[in-house]
Every structure is written in C-alpha cells, then in structure tokens.
Amino acid sequence: MRKQERSGAFRRSRRQIVAVIMAVFLVLLSVTLGAIYIISYRQLYQENLDMLEIYIEQYLENGNPSQREDTPPPGESAPEPDGAPDNGRFLRSSFYSIAFDGDGQPFSVDLGSGTVYTEAQLTDTAQYLLAQGQSQGTHGNFVYCVDREASYTLVVLMDNTLVSDSFTTLFRNALILGAGMVAVLLLCAIGLARWIIRPLEESDRRQRQFISDAGHELKTPVAVVEANAELLEREVGANKWLSNIRSESSRMAGLVSELLELVRTEQDPPRMEPVALSHLVLGGVLPFESVAFELGRTLIHQIDADITVPGNPGQLSQLVSILMDNALSHSAGAGGIAVTLRRERAGAILTVSNPGFIPEADRAEIFDRFFRSDANRGGTGHYGLGLTIARNIVDAHQGDIQVACGDGRVTFTVTLPARGKARRAP
C-alpha cells in the first residue's frame, strides 16, 4: 500500500471502531429505554385498571357517586377507598361512568368532579366502546372497563391525560439526555479509536522506515561483493563458486533495488504532467518482443493512438515493464501475450493478458508485498514486489488495477483517469 492508501486504511479502521462503539451504545440505549417504557407503561396501565375495578366495586355497592346523598360537596375530599394501588392518586383521578339498560339506552351518567367532557361526549364514547366488544383497554386519553351485570351494563372511564403527559415528558427528557450522552460518547469514541490505532500507525511507519534503511544499507555491500567477485574471476578464472557468488549477489542487488523502489512509490508523490500514453505503452512493449521470441511466444499489441492522461512518465513506463515482465515470466500453456490500450470516456484502459491461471484464493493477495504463489516460488527471479509496486503506481495516479482469470488466461486490467489532481513531489 502506498502512503495515501495506508492513511485511508487507518482512517477507515478508526471510523469502524467509532461505528462499532456507537452502534453498541445505541443498541443498549434503545433496549434500555424501550424496556423502561414498556415496563412503566404496563405497570401504569395495570394500576389504572385496578383503580377502575375499585371504582366499579364502589359503584355496585353504593350506586352512582354523583347521585348519592353522601357525596362530599366541592372542595372536600371523599374518604379513601381501601385496596387502591395509590390512594392519593385514586382521589386525584377523574372517573366517569355511564350505565346502559338492557335496551342499550343510557340511564345514569357520572360526570365526575370536572366539566371537561359533556354528558353527550361521554355517552358517545361509551357506546363506541361497547360496540368494540372489549372489556377493558385504552381509547384516546381514557382507560376504560366494561362491567356487564344482569340488568345493566356499566362503562367506567378514567381520564389519564395528566399521567400520560407526565410520562411522555419524562420519556422525552430521557431521550434528550440520551442524545447528549451519545454526543459525549462520540467524542470519547473518536479519542479511543485514535489511541487504539496509534500503535499500529507507528508500527507501520517503523516497518516502512526499516525497509528503506535496510535497502540503503545493503545496496553498498552488495555492490562491493559483486565487484570483488568480478575482479577475482578475472584473476583466478571462472569457476562454479565464483559464478554462484556473482549470481546470488546479482539476485540480492535486484531485491534491494525493488525494495528501494517500493519505498519510493509508497512515500514520494510523483510529479504529474500530460503523458502521451499511446506512445509510452508502445515504447514499453517493443523491447519485450525479443524476449517473447526467445520464449517461443507471440506478442500481439493493439494500441489506440493519441491517448493522453495526466501522470508521471517514469512510473507509467515502469508499470508497463512490470506487467510485461510478469506476463512473460508466469505464462503457462499454449498462447501468446496480448496487450491492448483503448480510450474510454473516463480515461484509458490498459490490459495485459497471458496464458495461465491464478487460484482464486491467491487473487486477493497477489498485490501484497512479497506474495508469490507456491507454483512460482523458485527460479523466476522475482521477489513478490513487482505487482505491489505496480499497484502503488496505479494508486498514485488515482486509477485502479484488477486481475481476472478466464478461458485459460490471466488478464491484468489498469484503468487510468483522463483527469487527475496534479501533485508535485516536495
């Protein structure tokens, strides 16, 4: 991964950590508030039904309270009934009752102590509830019970407006407080995510610095070993041991060179300018015709003319070279190498195809550092860095690179945008 992609990966990781923390908190908060609401509502509803049943018992024993001679005058309290869940609340609640005879006609209405509802409103409401056929429940601001006696039917209503409003206000305040806690937790989660990711960022920085330092430190001694082996071969003549020394030092020099190139493509933003991509790709493909001929393979190219994209000429040339070398080195089976470059409205598409097959499990990792499939671990002179460098170059040009397998061929597809942000190296 190049520097920008790694930074993006760390940012995505931080966002994921924040998202997980917030999601867990929101789920717990929702479940808690929902449980509180349901439990409180059921408890309140049951208490209301208990008070309605006590009212019905008193009605059956003493008759309509508004028609009794012992009804206290306004401003005085009635004696507290026994058995109410909350006697104080029972006295403060407003009860209404409508009695219907066997023909369904109201003959007794208790308007309670208030004047909020008229007799007609209460009667219409009671008739509607009787038509529903339920013995108890809620309707609008009322909690009701229906008691069916032998000679009449009694519908008792309890005005629950004040309690419901208080309950709603309490729940709304809890939601507001919960929203404030969510905001506070969001800030804490952001700080926690940064604290968690910081060691990973530091480890990645040290890893890249180690690769850079190791590459520079190894470059000089490898060159010295190769030069000394060459001089020694001139002195004593060629032999298998000196040949092995020169071969291995050459391989080491190639690895060091790729390591340094990897670090450069990851850290240094390329200098961008208009690039004649058609001419560049053609110039990058032609030198490989002789290599393909020696390997007994044909090299076919189809390149649209006059394609220009913003980019870095050196890096784009290196991209073509890496893809061509990869195609020739890992071809397996009959068939030739095919290179196409075509113009698209969004930019240019470069494809390099060769006979062969990449297991599906390897395709997701083929652009990772030092990755080589088991079938390509020896004898190819590759170290698993070429495609990583290619991916870094494409990323630096804000493009995309993909690999696909089908019909016995492996195809690398590079998409480069026609427009990009001009970036210059510091």
Side-chain angles (χ1 to χ4, degrees):
M1 266 187 294
R2 63 188 178 92
K3 184 177 180 180
Q4 290 83 357
E5 185 178 350
R6 282 195 305 273
S7 299
F10 287 129
R11 284 195 298 270
R12 287 192 298 271
S13 299
R14 286 194 293 266
R15 287 197 294 267
Q16 289 172 355
I17 292 174
V18 172
V20 170
I21 293 175
M22 297 305 299
V24 172
F25 177 77
L26 289 175
V27 169
L28 293 177
L29 180 63
S30 301
V31 172
T32 301
L33 291 179
I36 292 175
Y37 181 85
I38 293 173
I39 294 173
S40 301
Y41 179 83
R42 288 184 175 180
Q43 182 178 358
L44 182 62
Y45 178 71
Q46 187 60 47
E47 289 180 359
N48 291 337
L49 292 180
D50 292 342
M51 288 191 290
L52 285 174
E53 291 178 358
I54 293 174
Y55 179 91
I56 292 174
E57 292 178 1
Q58 291 186 343
Y59 189 99
L60 296 178
E61 292 178 1
N62 305 316
N64 190 337
S66 63
Q67 298 176 359
R68 294 204 310 264
E69 295 181 356
D70 59 347
T71 301
E76 296 184 9
S77 299
E80 296 184 1
D82 297 330
D86 184 349
N87 290 338
R89 186 174 157 222
F90 183 89
L91 296 176
R92 292 191 303 268
S93 301
S94 298
F95 295 93
Y96 309 94
S97 62
I98 305 94
F100 295 88
D101 57 20
D103 297 329
Q105 299 298 320
F107 65 88
S108 178
V109 178
D110 178 17
L111 296 179
S113 58
T115 58
V116 179
Y117 304 100
T118 65
E119 182 175 334
Q121 291 175 325
L122 295 175
T123 301
D124 292 341
T125 301
Q127 289 175 338
Y128 172 81
L129 295 176
L130 287 176
Q132 298 301 310
Q134 300 293 330
S135 60
Q136 61 185 26
T138 59
H139 175 71
N141 293 327
F142 293 116
V143 180
Y144 69 91
C145 275
V146 177
D147 182 68
R148 302 181 185 276
E149 300 294 329
S151 57
Y152 65 94
T153 301
L154 180 65
V155 179
V156 180
L157 306 173
M158 177 181 173
D159 191 353
N160 201 40
T161 303
L162 294 178
V163 176
S164 297
D165 290 346
S166 300
F167 187 74
T168 302
T169 301
L170 178 63
F171 192 73
R172 182 172 60 250
N173 292 337
L175 288 178
I176 294 174
L177 180 61
M181 294 301 297
V182 168
V184 172
L185 181 64
L186 177 60
L187 297 177
C188 295
I190 293 174
L192 180 62
R194 290 177 177 174
W195 179 75
I196 293 174
I197 295 298
R198 188 177 296 115
L200 300 179
E201 292 178 319
E202 180 64 18
S203 175
D204 180 77
R205 186 193 65 79
R206 291 182 177 180
Q207 181 187 32
R208 288 184 284 111
Q209 187 64 41
F210 170 77
I211 293 176
S212 177
D213 295 343
H216 284 92
E217 292 295 329
L218 289 173
K219 189 174 182 180
T220 299
V222 168
V224 171
V225 170
E226 187 172 5
N228 289 337
E230 183 178 356
L231 292 175
L232 185 59
E233 187 176 16
R234 293 176 183 177
E235 292 288 335
V236 301
N239 58 66
K240 62 179 181 179
W241 293 283
L242 286 176
S243 297
N244 289 337
I245 292 174
R246 295 193 63 185
S247 175
E248 293 304 317
S249 63
S250 178
R251 290 183 66 246
M252 179 65 72
L255 175 58
V256 170
S257 177
E258 288 196 10
L259 284 174
L260 294 176
E261 184 62 29
L262 174 66
V263 173
R264 187 179 66 82
T265 57
E266 288 184 338
Q267 294 183 345
D268 296 335
R271 183 185 181 92
M272 311 295 271
E273 60 185 60
V275 177
L277 189 62
S278 300
H279 178 74
L280 184 145
V281 172
L282 182 60
V285 170
L286 291 179
F288 286 91
E289 286 186 339
S290 59
V291 180
F293 179 78
E294 292 179 358
L295 295 176
R297 297 192 180 275
T298 59
L299 178 56
I300 304 172
H301 53 80
Q302 183 176 356
I303 300 174
D304 292 350
D306 301 327
I307 298 179
T308 301
V309 298
N312 181 271
Q315 287 197 354
L316 291 179
S317 296
Q318 185 181 15
L319 171 65
V320 176
S321 177
I322 290 173
L323 294 178
M324 291 299 302
D325 181 62
N326 181 79
L328 289 169
S329 300
H330 298 100
S331 294
I337 309 300
V339 181
T340 65
L341 177 66
R342 65 182 187 273
R343 180 184 290 104
E344 292 289 337
R345 183 168 56 182
I349 296 181
L350 170 67
T351 62
V352 179
S353 175
N354 63 274
F357 178 76
I358 300 177
E360 186 173 357
D362 293 346
R363 297 174 203 169
E365 304 177 9
I366 197 169
F367 296 105
D368 293 345
R369 300 176 188 174
F370 302 105
F371 176 81
R372 288 184 294 173
S373 62
D374 292 337
N376 297 321
R377 287 197 174 274
T380 63
H382 293 80
Y383 310 99
L385 293 176
L387 290 178
T388 304
I389 296 172
R391 193 267 309 277
N392 291 342
I393 293 174
V394 173
D395 288 343
H397 288 74
Q398 303 175 9
D400 181 66
I401 182 170
Q402 300 290 336
V403 61
C405 294
D407 299 328
R409 298 186 68 84
V410 178
T411 302
F412 285 87
T413 303
V414 176
T415 303
L416 296 174
R419 294 181 178 84
K421 298 180 181 179
R423 293 183 294 179
R424 296 181 180 273

